[in-house]
Amino acid sequence: MSYTLQDIENYWLGKMSQNDIETFEKKLAEDDNLREEVKAYEDIFTGFEGLKIQHKIKNWSAEEINLKKNVEAVPSGKVRSLSIRRLMSIAAALLFLVIGYQFTVRPYSDNSIYKDLYSDKNTYTNIKSASTNNHPLQEGYDAYQNKEYDKAYTFFQDVSNENNHYATAQYYLAHTLMQQDNFQEAIAPLNYLIANKDARYEEEAEWLHILCQFRIGKTETVHKALDNILANPSNFHYQKAKVLQQKLNAFQRKLQF
């Protein structure tokens, strides 16, 4: 039997029957993933007294009605201090909840995950050290290093496929597009590098391809590609793939809105 976020919440709030609790706890003892999800719930809601806040939120609708009546019944400038304290308490609870959300859930957002796992400083060709004054792609290298991405894009895009440095140009073209958050277009040069099987760029291109697919929402494609990398522990990006898979399956991702 699989459990949902609502089931975990009911468990923590004591809303399950005794039979359901026993069944849940038996599953909890056997299932590592379920234990992780319950622990994440505990960190988020128990860790910053979220359960107390949640109870308070559920009573807001009734309290707001009474509060409105109190405010309307009292002349302007004479609102009772009790009502003001109640408002302040609600505001403080909200602030606490938001801060907890930011620290616990935000690291699992698409943008945060991408920033943690993307790098243009790879093992095969470091952009800042690969260029030389006599290199045919020097102009493009310089534009990239100076973050002149429009200029770099035009330069690398114009390199002929008959050029001996075409694969390198495609590699930097993909990075340039990713720096511009143009993940969809970056897939084409990465596909070329993967198909070309150039040892300098193949594994790096496969990893960048996964990140692009992730950013455009191709979750199923991402999971399949991660499985391929994780089947080969010698892959240079094995550890990063492991981290990405864990974050994609994390309980915190289910709490994003």
Side-chain angles (χ1 to χ4, degrees):
M1 177 180 179
S2 60
Y3 288 96
T4 65
L5 174 59
Q6 187 63 55
D7 294 323
I8 295 173
E9 180 178 332
N10 289 340
Y11 174 73
W12 272 103
L13 296 179
K15 292 182 178 181
M16 283 184 170
S17 67
Q18 187 58 40
N19 286 339
D20 287 341
I21 290 175
E22 291 175 0
T23 302
F24 183 87
E25 290 182 344
K26 182 178 179 181
K27 179 70 172 177
L28 194 62
E30 301 170 348
D31 192 328
D32 291 340
N33 291 331
L34 181 59
R35 284 200 298 274
E36 287 184 9
E37 293 195 354
V38 172
K39 179 63 169 61
Y41 186 97
E42 179 183 6
D43 290 342
I44 294 167
F45 293 102
T46 304
F48 54 86
E49 299 184 336
L51 293 176
K52 293 180 181 179
I53 295 172
Q54 189 178 66
H55 284 307
K56 188 174 292 185
I57 291 173
K58 289 179 179 178
N59 294 324
W60 278 0
S61 56
E63 289 194 356
E64 285 176 340
I65 293 173
N66 292 331
L67 183 58
K68 183 177 180 182
K69 289 179 179 178
N70 291 336
V71 173
E72 290 176 346
V74 178
S76 176
K78 297 183 180 180
V79 178
R80 292 183 299 179
S81 59
L82 178 61
S83 297
I84 294 175
R85 286 197 298 271
R86 182 177 296 170
L87 282 174
M88 291 177 66
S89 176
I90 291 173
L94 261 181
L95 179 61
F96 202 32
L97 185 60
V98 169
I99 292 173
Y101 174 86
Q102 292 292 325
F103 279 100
T104 308
V105 179
R106 193 172 184 179
Y108 291 84
S109 69
D110 287 359
N111 192 50
S112 293
I113 291 174
Y114 174 75
K115 285 183 176 180
D116 286 344
L117 296 175
Y118 168 75
S119 173
D120 60 7
K121 313 299 185 297
N122 66 86
T123 301
Y124 311 109
T125 310
N126 187 304
I127 290 173
K128 290 187 177 180
S129 63
S131 61
T132 63
N133 292 330
N134 297 321
H135 200 287
L137 302 182
Q138 182 67 45
E139 182 180 342
Y141 292 148
D142 290 345
Y144 186 94
Q145 291 180 44
N146 293 328
K147 298 184 178 182
E148 297 173 348
Y149 297 125
D150 288 340
K151 183 178 178 180
Y153 170 81
T154 300
F155 180 88
F156 292 125
Q157 179 73 10
D158 288 344
V159 174
S160 169
N161 59 7
E162 297 180 359
N163 190 303
N164 291 336
H165 300 284
Y166 182 70
T168 303
Q170 289 293 290
Y171 172 75
Y172 291 129
L173 176 61
H175 271 297
T176 300
L177 289 164
M178 292 177 76
Q179 294 288 359
Q180 296 175 309
D181 292 340
N182 192 344
F183 303 106
Q184 184 69 58
E185 191 175 344
I187 290 173
L190 293 172
N191 281 339
Y192 169 83
L193 293 169
I194 294 169
N196 196 46
K197 296 188 178 298
D198 187 320
R200 295 172 299 169
Y201 305 118
E202 185 179 3
E203 286 191 353
E204 182 71 8
E206 288 174 349
W207 176 246
L208 296 177
H209 191 275
I210 288 174
L211 293 181
C212 286
Q213 295 286 354
F214 168 62
R215 289 312 307 266
I216 64 176
K218 301 291 186 180
T219 306
E220 186 175 345
T221 301
V222 169
H223 280 293
K224 288 180 179 178
L226 287 175
D227 287 341
N228 290 335
I229 290 181
L230 293 173
N232 178 19
S234 65
N235 188 293
F236 182 75
H237 293 290
Y238 178 84
Q239 290 300 327
K240 283 187 176 181
K242 194 172 181 179
V243 170
L244 178 54
Q245 186 180 69
Q246 289 172 345
K247 288 196 171 187
L248 290 178
N249 294 329
F251 176 76
Q252 289 88 336
R253 296 262 309 166
K254 301 176 184 179
L255 298 174
Q256 294 189 64
F257 51 83

